[in-house]
Amino acid sequence: MIITCPQCQTKYRYDEARFGGAPVKKVKCTSCGHTFGVENPSVELTDSTNVDPRAKKEAGATSTDKMQVEPEVPELPQLAPLARDMRFSLAVIAGAQAGSVFQITKPRIFLGRGSAMDVQLKDSEVSRRHAMIELRGEEATLVDLGATNGTYVVGERIQRAELMNRSEFTLGSTTLMLIVTHTGETA
């Protein structure tokens, strides 16, 4: 089911199995931190105000369920494959993983602390799903995905920025550099 934070309007996918039979479950928005109640759609409630608070407590509704789900992401358009005569990589130049190099093998990559990210950064100041990079030919675009601590290019917080070879950007306390190499290969 899709739920919406009444405070900031962020939408989330929420697994109905997490209700465990409870009529109401409290969740905490990972975007703004607001705690709100979500009614179990499989429990018939004629008027949620008539639900006995003790029944809610017994059902576990007073314990806040920190959502491990990510905000809903709209379907992104497919990008053309990477050019065969170019190689892209990200080098960590400052932070806990300084010296690491991540090869970019597809035209859209996601960066963040989460285990499902293409580039996983071990930095507590980085959001689970922090930013993405889209590659179109030689053009690279860095997009902030609503990260709490923001994404910075040349010291300025950005929502979207064009990157060039050797452009540096910062997520949390990690600074990365985009490296573009022309290999001379042709299709």
Side-chain angles (χ1 to χ4, degrees), residues 27-109:
V27 294
K28 184 173 183 179
C29 178
T30 56
S31 262
C32 70
H34 179 69
T35 300
F36 60 99
V38 177
E39 291 183 5
N40 186 341
S42 63
V43 173
E44 290 280 330
L45 294 177
T46 54
D47 182 1
S48 62
T49 59
N50 292 334
V51 176
D52 181 359
R54 288 170 294 182
K56 287 182 182 180
K57 185 173 184 174
E58 289 168 14
T62 57
S63 65
T64 302
D65 188 5
K66 283 193 176 181
M67 290 186 283
Q68 295 299 316
V69 293
E70 297 295 329
E72 183 180 317
V73 178
E75 190 69 28
L76 296 170
Q78 189 166 345
L79 298 174
L82 296 176
R84 293 181 60 123
D85 64 337
M86 299 178 74
R87 297 288 178 261
F88 298 90
S89 55
L90 290 174
V92 180
I93 58 174
Q97 291 171 277
S100 299
V101 176
F102 298 94
Q103 298 301 315
I104 299 174
T105 59
K106 53 189 184 177
R108 179 181 292 117
I109 62 162

Side-chain angles (χ1 to χ4, degrees), residues 90-102 119-121 173-177 179:
L90 290 174
V92 180
I93 58 174
Q97 291 171 277
S100 299
V101 176
F102 298 94
V119 175
Q120 186 179 17
L121 299 172
S173 59
T174 303
T175 301
L176 300 106
M177 177 188 288
I179 300 171

Side-chain angles (χ1 to χ4, degrees), residues 4 12 15 20 26 40 43 48 50 58 76 83 102-104 114 116 125 132 136 141 145 150 180:
T4 304
Y12 296 92
D15 184 3
K26 285 198 177 189
N40 186 341
V43 173
S48 62
N50 292 334
E58 289 168 14
L76 296 170
F102 298 94
Q103 298 301 315
I104 299 174
E125 294 179 32
M132 75 174 171
R136 292 178 179 88
T141 306
L145 297 174
V180 183

